[in-house]
Amino acid sequence: MWPAGVGTGVGSLPGTDVREACALVTGETPEFPALPELPARGVGADIVGRTAGLLVDLAVEVVPTGWRVAAHPGRDLRRARDLMSGDLDAFDDACDRIRPSWVKVQVAGPWTLAASVELAAGHRALTDRGAVREFAASLTEGLRAHVAEVAQRTGATVVVQLDEPGLPAVLAGSLPTASGYGTVRSIAAPDAQDLLRDLIAGIDAPVVVHCCADRPPIRLLAGTGAAAVGIDATRPAFAGATAEPRALDAIGETWDSGVPLFLGLLPGTAPTREPAVGDLARIGYDLADRLGFDRPRLARLAVPTPVCGLAGATPAWAHRALALSRELGKAFADPDEVPPADER
């Protein structure tokens, strides 16, 4: 596993300068830098486009409603692949200066991808179970090659983050159909879990399944063979007086099973008042206390991150958020050194 007491980013950052972004992640989170995503660059830089660029023997293109399956690769797919190639060059150069032992890459998970890409007829790929399986198989093959390339370039162990913000809607059957008059039929939880489990088993790398949506299916994700599960730990179901027993139990069971959490603790945009490390750390401490885990174990049980991507943040807050994630990792490793919440 990655070193205890580290923090990392979720992936996306503001701006369009990839070399600047790579300098940021390797400078502020040198123990565990995440390959930057810069969606402000437009088509092919978004999470769906970047992921589609990794697919093997499946082509997509941009239409007015979003990404759609295409007969042949076109300029949109070429742009996504060119952007990724340039990003890897910049990340390789930045990592060469610090030589990290661990790095992280992010892609859309198979369910979010299938919910976001249309078939030729205009329906979501999610509506066709055969298409879902084809996307998952293509993504598995593409990720194997991607992981191998990043590992060869950086000399680091590569962690893959599968972003599944759309999974709760997939499970609930709440996604609208192409006509807008109905919703796509829900996917049974065991089926969703099986597909994720097969994909994770097919990748020669530790996998984190990240879902920053409200009420993420933690138990389902923890049962996929993932190395960790990522959540927004500031959601009302998990934090403070609004914390729900069912949600807390899911975290406790996940930790009991030996699966750590990537705890989203840093706001995605600059808060009115910058939170103190002690205040942020206490969200993790409170979870550990409520669930009966010794606080020093948090260094292994949790990796602090922003709650979700930082694409909407100011450059200054993106820098500070990543720096705070690293400071929180150290706070989890040595809770006795964290000052009281009212000290600045």
Side-chain angles (χ1 to χ4, degrees), residues 24-221:
L24 167 60
V25 298
T26 53
E28 298 295 356
T29 53
E31 298 91 351
F32 202 177
L35 176 66
E37 303 165 21
L38 302 177
R41 294 178 296 181
V43 171
D46 58 294
I47 186 63
V48 174
R50 286 171 70 82
T51 304
L54 300 177
L55 296 175
V56 176
D57 296 330
L58 270 177
V60 297
E61 63 184 355
V62 175
V63 297
T65 52
W67 288 93
R68 179 176 289 182
V69 172
H72 306 286
R75 64 180 181 180
D76 298 326
L77 199 56
R78 286 196 297 272
R79 185 169 195 272
R81 290 170 175 167
D82 287 346
L83 285 171
M84 179 65 81
S85 178
D87 291 355
L88 292 180
D89 287 342
F91 193 56
D92 183 9
D93 290 343
C95 286
D96 191 50
R97 292 190 287 271
I98 63 168
R99 298 196 177 278
S101 297
W102 294 81
V103 299
K104 183 166 68 68
V105 300
Q106 305 80 220
V107 298
W111 292 111
T112 294
L113 188 64
S116 303
V117 178
E118 299 175 357
L119 299 175
H123 300 291
R124 298 178 191 267
L126 183 65
T127 61
D128 185 327
R129 300 300 172 87
V132 172
R133 290 191 294 271
E134 187 176 356
F135 267 90
S138 178
L139 180 58
T140 303
E141 187 174 350
L143 273 175
R144 281 200 295 262
H146 186 52
V147 167
E149 180 179 3
V150 175
Q152 190 276 327
R153 282 172 170 261
T154 64
T157 299
V158 180
V159 175
V160 174
Q161 178 179 300
L162 294 178
D163 284 316
E164 284 286 14
L167 182 56
V170 168
L171 296 171
S174 60
L175 292 168
T177 58
S179 68
Y181 292 111
T183 56
V184 178
R185 186 177 61 176
S186 65
I187 300 297
D191 293 338
Q193 188 178 61
D194 287 345
L195 187 79
L196 284 167
R197 185 185 294 114
D198 289 345
L199 190 154
I200 289 169
I203 303 172
D204 188 21
V207 175
V208 179
V209 190
H210 178 257
C211 181
C212 57
D214 194 24
R215 290 181 171 80
I218 295 177
R219 291 184 177 89
L220 183 157
L221 300 178

Side-chain angles (χ1 to χ4, degrees), residues 12-16 20 24 38 267-272 274 306 309-323:
S12 66
L13 292 170
T16 59
E20 183 178 311
L24 167 60
L38 302 177
T269 56
T272 304
E274 183 179 312
L310 294 169
T314 62
W317 177 247
H319 275 265
R320 188 63 186 135
L322 290 185

